[in-house]
Amino acid sequence: MMNEFRRLAYLDALGVDSYVSRRQLPGAAPSPRVGLRRRQPAVAPAQPRPVSTALSRSPVVPQGSTAAAVTSASAAPTGNSAETGPGTVFSVLASRLGDWYWLDEIPRGRQQGPEYLLLLQSICAALGLPCADPQLERFDWPIAGARQPDTGERAARDGFIGFLCGRLERNPVHGLVLLGVGNESWLDRAGLDSLPEVKKIVETTSAWRMLRQAELKKQAWKDLQDLRQPG
């Protein structure tokens, strides 16, 4: 069950105001005591712009298909990303394959094609991992349609770790596979290492890059041997 500190962190990353009591109210049930965190002063607020949807889901893909069903954690931005003001901008494809949660950064505004899913399925099949009907989810930062006066690196780290914690709490995994995102400034490595849901982290190059630079597949195959299933 989500503790109070993590719940407040999720709400803060989404730009939702949270309120806590400063003192115990007479006759009321005891309230949890949490520290107050001051918001960073806002720079020029982003201009509102129309967003088609904040969360959409495509139909489930039949087994064996090469087209993935993709859930977007935030709608893709329209126009230039600079409309949101100065800050960190990135997109990550996330998917659960076997007992591992895979994360791969892709260029903002790009969509993965059927060859992307086919590559992931081929890697998993070669490693002996179950890979039927993988579901891909895209996380975009800044979150389209959310009130975010702060879109810098610290807010990005909090937002992404909140997204990741929510997925891992609902669907525990053995570990994480970081595809080319291990050294990104928006990735809170200390936060990942402290997650009780993550027992192991395996890193290699981006699957997105493998499709454009085939020579990267050889090194990726070596890096991913820790995922191999016996038999």
Side-chain angles (χ1 to χ4, degrees):
M1 186 174 185
M2 187 184 304
N3 63 42
E4 185 67 9
F5 293 100
R6 185 169 288 179
R7 185 184 73 84
L8 292 175
Y10 294 169
L11 293 175
D12 184 63
L14 292 172
V16 177
D17 291 327
S18 302
Y19 299 91
V20 296
S21 62
R22 292 179 180 271
R23 60 183 179 275
Q24 186 61 41
L25 300 177
S31 300
R33 302 265 70 85
V34 296
L36 296 176
R37 183 171 129 188
R38 296 186 180 277
R39 287 186 178 274
Q40 296 295 325
V43 291
Q47 295 297 318
R49 52 197 174 87
V51 179
S52 58
T53 179
L55 182 64
S56 60
R57 181 174 292 276
S58 301
V60 176
V61 182
Q63 183 173 353
S65 172
T66 57
V70 179
T71 300
S72 176
S74 57
T78 58
N80 194 324
S81 60
E83 292 174 4
T84 60
T88 302
V89 177
F90 66 93
S91 294
V92 173
L93 277 179
S95 56
R96 175 166 180 166
L97 298 169
D99 290 330
W100 297 81
Y101 202 64
W102 301 57
L103 302 171
D104 189 8
E105 185 176 14
I106 65 172
R108 187 63 181 258
R110 294 289 189 90
Q111 297 293 331
Q112 83 294 335
E115 68 278 2
Y116 182 89
L117 179 62
L118 183 60
L119 174 59
L120 290 184
Q121 288 177 316
S122 299
I123 292 173
C124 289
L127 294 170
L129 300 175
C131 56
D133 299 334
Q135 302 295 304
L136 301 181
E137 187 173 16
R138 188 182 69 248
F139 177 89
D140 291 332
W141 184 269
I143 301 174
R147 181 172 58 84
Q148 292 178 264
D150 183 3
T151 59
E153 287 185 2
R154 174 179 290 184
R157 287 194 293 269
D158 291 344
F160 185 72
I161 202 72
F163 160 82
L164 186 59
C165 286
R167 272 55 183 178
L168 298 181
E169 283 182 346
R170 291 196 298 269
N171 298 288
V173 295
H174 180 73
L176 298 177
V177 180
L178 304 182
L179 301 173
V181 302
N183 297 317
E184 298 296 341
S185 60
W186 49 261
L187 185 66
D188 184 359
R189 288 305 301 261
L192 288 185
D193 293 336
S194 65
L195 290 178
E197 299 89 349
V198 177
K199 303 177 183 65
K200 192 171 186 178
I201 296 177
V202 176
E203 300 181 49
T204 191
T205 188
S206 166
W208 181 272
R209 291 186 59 201
M210 287 185 222
L211 290 172
R212 289 146 185 81
Q213 297 175 261
E215 64 273 15
L216 297 176
K217 295 179 181 179
K218 184 176 181 180
Q219 182 59 47
W221 178 247
K222 295 178 181 179
D223 297 336
L224 295 173
Q225 289 305 301
D226 285 345
L227 279 65
R228 179 182 286 279
Q229 296 294 305

